[in-house]
Amino acid sequence: MMLGKAKMTKVLYFCLAVLGVLIATTPAENASGDSDILVIAHFLALVLTIPYFLQLRTNAMPYELLIYALIVASAFVLSNLQMPGYWALSVAVLGPLTLMFGAFAAHPQKLRGVIDAILIINLAAFAFQWLVYLVSGEIFHIHTLLFPFSESRSAEFLGFLRLGGLHLEPGTYSAYLYLLVVFRIILGGAITDRISLLMLVSFALTFSVWGIAAFLTGMIAVTFSAFSNGRRMRKALFPASIAVSGFLVLLFMTGLLEPVLSYLQVRLDPTQGSASYREIALSELIATFDRYVPIGMPMAEKFCAPCQSPQDLGVWSQIIIRFGVFAAVLIFVVSILSAYKHSALMVILVLFAFTGKYDVSKPITWLFLGLVLTPWYLRTRLRTAEKVAA
């Protein structure tokens, strides 16, 4: 009986951890934009993971990476001291704490189990949304069902159905879940397994330009992984070729190839839509580059007033703007070096992740900055174990 209760407690803690990370990585907006309390709520949702991870032994982190994490956190706090405000200071406190959560994440396999559950939930919701549309011709807005105050942007656009599943919009679905796929690979998963490949295909099926680019980047990483390990080449290339071939056959059989190319041409036109917003944001970044030396712009100060969504330029620009150039260079160098300690394919995945439209006021960015360190401290721990054994 006691054993049964212990198992039930573990299941409960696991479910709470899944719920906490799911909320933290599923952004929502009020009709008038994100409110302060809503931004903070996504960070605070990670508190639900504490009972689960307290059961496990935490990882020892090399002091060099601890110093790095403190430098990054201090750079962000210093930038916000210029123009302190309740919201900005809340992110300045909760953001670094989230980074530490990622850096000191409990047992990699356990955290990967939480991420796998979230990916499966999102994939199921996305497939269900497609099924409902195919049966009824209506778009079922799952995001609005979960967050009644947040308006879903799943819709038909230029003759294409663009669905976002649990997420606000197709681009958000692709960007946030792409990072979760990267996390699970960092934590010991494989880009060639079923979950990763199905997620990559779903990004393409959102018909967001970034999602299609994420799909192609994933396929490049799969191929790169296969050729870097001859013994796994067939195992890796077969599912990847099936995924790519299936997607291309679908386009040919449905006569969608030409419309898709026309659609992409319109979406990538720098004179209109989100592509034009990126052009404006890039021009503003270049024009004000000296503003971010040595420290960044506080959260209370708006970057690029004409831009509808400045983060569309990529999180790399947000890191420069909000952390300052010196801290940004440190972040980029450490992230790429850590990714390289995992594999060359991880360098590809992490480089592309920096183009994602994440904002530093969201937990996903801070989780990324923390979890990308995992290969570094795992490699350090392995070397330490080898020295002890010798």
Side-chain angles (χ1 to χ4, degrees):
M1 186 68 177
M2 293 298 293
L3 182 61
K5 286 184 178 180
K7 286 185 177 180
M8 288 179 62
T9 300
K10 287 183 179 180
V11 171
L12 175 61
Y13 287 168
F14 175 77
C15 291
L16 284 174
V18 170
L19 179 62
V21 178
L22 180 64
I23 294 173
T25 57
T26 309
E29 294 179 357
N30 282 336
S32 57
D34 275 342
S35 65
D36 295 355
I37 190 64
L38 186 56
V39 171
I40 295 169
H42 286 290
F43 280 101
L44 294 180
L46 290 173
V47 172
L48 295 175
T49 67
I50 292 176
Y52 179 66
F53 290 120
L54 280 180
Q55 302 175 94
L56 308 168
R57 185 181 64 183
T58 56
N59 291 312
M61 186 177 181
Y63 72 90
E64 299 96 332
L65 291 187
L66 178 59
I67 293 172
Y68 160 77
L70 291 173
I71 291 173
V72 169
S74 299
F76 186 75
V77 172
L78 185 61
S79 296
N80 281 280
L81 287 178
Q82 303 173 74
M83 194 181 293
Y86 173 73
W87 173 61
L89 291 180
S90 296
V91 175
V93 172
L94 295 172
L97 286 176
T98 304
L99 184 152
M100 295 297 183
F101 169 80
F104 286 100
H107 199 279
Q109 283 75 19
K110 298 296 183 181
L111 182 56
R112 195 179 81 213
V114 171
I115 291 173
D116 282 353
I118 293 170
L119 290 175
I120 291 170
I121 291 170
N122 274 278
L123 194 59
F126 184 73
F128 180 71
Q129 198 176 27
W130 263 102
L131 180 63
V132 169
Y133 181 82
L134 293 174
V135 172
S136 67
E138 299 291 330
I139 297 175
F140 181 43
H141 296 282
I142 306 176
H143 177 80
T144 303
L145 182 67
L146 296 177
F147 305 98
F149 50 83
S150 183
E151 185 178 353
S152 168
R153 295 175 194 153
S154 292
E156 291 186 31
F157 183 70
L158 297 177
F160 286 88
L161 182 64
R162 303 177 74 249
L163 299 178
L166 297 180
H167 285 261
L168 185 68
E169 60 182 359
T172 308
Y173 172 94
S174 299
Y176 275 64
L177 297 183
Y178 172 85
L179 263 192
L180 290 183
V181 170
V182 172
F183 292 166
R184 75 180 300 271
I185 297 170
I186 286 176
L187 294 168
I191 196 170
T192 55
D193 63 22
R194 232 172 297 180
I195 294 179
S196 294
L197 289 175
L198 286 174
M199 290 307 308
L200 290 174
V201 171
S202 75
F203 300 156
L205 293 177
T206 64
F207 288 103
S208 73
V209 173
W210 198 92
I212 293 173
F215 167 74
L216 295 175
T217 301
M219 291 301 104
I220 291 171
V222 168
T223 305
F224 199 95
S225 173
F227 281 102
S228 65
N229 190 329
R231 289 178 300 174
R232 292 189 302 176
M233 185 179 296
R234 289 184 180 180
K235 184 178 178 181
L237 287 181
F238 179 71
S241 61
I242 291 295
V244 175
S245 301
F247 186 67
L248 292 176
V249 167
L250 178 65
L251 293 181
F252 275 112
M253 290 183 64
T254 56
L256 286 175
L257 184 59
E258 187 175 342
V260 166
L261 294 177
S262 300
Y263 168 81
L264 292 176
Q265 185 177 10
V266 172
R267 294 303 309 278
L268 293 171
D269 187 345
T271 64
Q272 58 182 314
S274 58
S276 67
Y277 304 149
R278 286 191 289 271
E279 290 281 333
I280 297 171
L282 181 60
S283 299
E284 183 74 10
L285 177 64
I286 294 172
T288 59
F289 193 77
D290 59 343
R291 167 70 178 79
Y292 317 116
V293 182
I295 59 177
M297 178 184 290
M299 297 293 294
E301 186 177 344
K302 185 174 182 180
F303 166 75
C304 190
C307 299
Q308 287 197 19
S309 185
Q311 67 268 22
D312 280 357
L313 189 57
V315 73
W316 66 268
S317 66
Q318 290 295 301
I319 291 173
I320 293 172
I321 293 162
R322 302 302 181 186
F323 289 84
V325 173
F326 298 142
V329 170
L330 178 65
I331 290 170
F332 297 144
V333 170
V334 170
S335 297
I336 298 306
L337 286 177
S338 185
Y340 184 72
K341 287 179 181 295
H342 181 281
S343 62
L345 80 89
M346 184 53 65
V347 174
I348 297 172
L349 296 175
V350 168
L351 282 173
F352 185 72
F354 277 116
T355 70
K357 51 181 184 179
Y358 319 107
D359 193 271
V360 294
S361 66
K362 301 295 190 294
I364 192 75
T365 301
W366 295 93
L367 286 172
F368 173 50
L369 296 181
L371 284 170
V372 77
L373 304 177
T374 304
W376 198 313
Y377 68 68
L378 287 182
R379 182 65 63 87
T380 302
R381 189 203 303 174
L382 179 61
R383 285 202 303 267
T384 303
E386 288 174 348
K387 287 180 181 178
V388 171

